[in-house]
Amino acid sequence: MAHLRIGSRGSQLALWQANHIAALLQEQGNTVSIEIIKTTGDKITDVALAKVGTKGMFTKEIEEALSESRVDLAVHSLKDLPTEISDTFLLAAVPEREDARDAFLSIHYSHLNELPKNARVGTGSLRRQAQLHSLRSDLQIIPLRGNVDTRLRKLHGGEFDAIILAAAGVTRLGLTDAVRHYFEPSGMCPAAGQGALAIETRAVDPATINIVKLLDHPPTRSAVACERATLNQLGGGCQVPIGAYAEPNERGLLLRAVVASPDGRSILREERTGSDPEKLGIEVGQALLSRGADRILEAVYGKEASVPQQP
């Protein structure tokens, strides 16, 4: 058995996730401590994430601590982890996924379709914004940052008619009271890796790797590998209007993916099945690019490159 040091962000949700993994490791007989590390994304609180464009904005400082052996493993929300990670590190385990869907939260309205014209809906995600606009072009989409508690407080304070959050976060924190319905992936495609956790280690730390790999859930790993292959093919990060969600079916995996302009006027959807997760993800990414996804993303990034580099 070992003493393991976990690196984590300090938000309520991040600490729930780190403590959840710590408890699983303790069940194996290990002792565990948690080191809170403030990331770039935590420090920038007054700017929409999509405008920051910093690669690994929620992971970089934690990876630095991992590289310097100040921690033995990092626990991330998988959707925050860049699709390409340094050879210095290893995605050692992907535990079983929580609900990957997006949740509609409101005090007065039970469904998106019940919102009045020009209702104020809060989200910090371009992906959600784009798909909301495609569903309801009349809505006012208002930027919303902060932890889950902060966002819920703003909803209860009357700043918004509704907010959209990841179902996994509100479920993990036991804050589902204001959830009125969950979007099905066919209508609001989740972010790649949404609802899943990533346990990252140093690539040359076999002792830690052997311990944490027992927490790996192969069906979840296959699904998120498929989603991340699509995201990588599109050159996207977690703060761009790209969704990808894979779920098991009789032929292996069913992958749904979407690329949309922030105003929702241009939206491309692709749906395919396959047995090889990464191959399927690449094929769907290429199909979206062939249909014009590169032009949509080019406008979002404001770059000339046909496929923008991952932020």
Side-chain angles (χ1 to χ4, degrees), residues 108-162:
H108 303 294
Y109 305 98
S110 63
H111 196 279
L112 181 73
N113 295 338
E114 290 188 5
L115 289 173
K117 188 175 181 179
N118 296 319
R120 294 167 61 89
V121 180
T123 176
S125 161
L126 271 184
R127 173 189 60 82
R128 292 181 184 128
Q129 173 186 313
Q131 293 182 86
L132 284 168
H133 274 315
S134 75
L135 295 168
R136 287 281 305 268
S137 60
D138 63 291
L139 297 175
Q140 296 183 64
I141 310 300
I142 312 296
L144 178 61
R145 289 287 310 273
N147 59 34
V148 175
D149 269 349
T150 299
R151 298 184 194 201
L152 284 170
R153 188 162 56 250
K154 291 181 178 181
L155 173 66
H156 285 278
E159 294 183 41
F160 301 94
D161 296 298

Side-chain angles (χ1 to χ4, degrees), residues 12 105 147-150 152 156 165 169-179 182:
Q12 186 182 14
L105 294 85
N147 59 34
V148 175
D149 269 349
T150 299
L152 284 170
H156 285 278
L165 299 176
V170 291
T171 299
R172 285 170 173 150
L173 294 176
L175 298 173
T176 58
D177 286 354
V179 174
Y182 297 94

Side-chain angles (χ1 to χ4, degrees), residues 238-300:
C238 67
Q239 308 306 332
V240 293
I242 300 171
Y245 177 64
E247 57 186 334
N249 73 354
E250 65 281 355
R251 295 180 58 189
L253 287 171
L254 167 64
L255 174 62
R256 294 184 177 94
V258 62
V259 175
S261 60
D263 62 8
R265 292 178 181 174
S266 298
I267 187 162
L268 300 174
R269 296 185 185 274
E270 191 72 28
E271 183 176 311
R272 296 191 184 192
T273 60
S275 57
D276 183 319
E278 293 203 14
K279 181 182 178 185
L280 175 60
I282 291 169
E283 287 176 353
V284 166
Q286 289 175 339
L288 286 165
L289 288 172
S290 72
R291 294 172 53 199
D294 52 345
R295 291 188 295 276
I296 294 173
L297 295 173
E298 203 174 287
V300 173

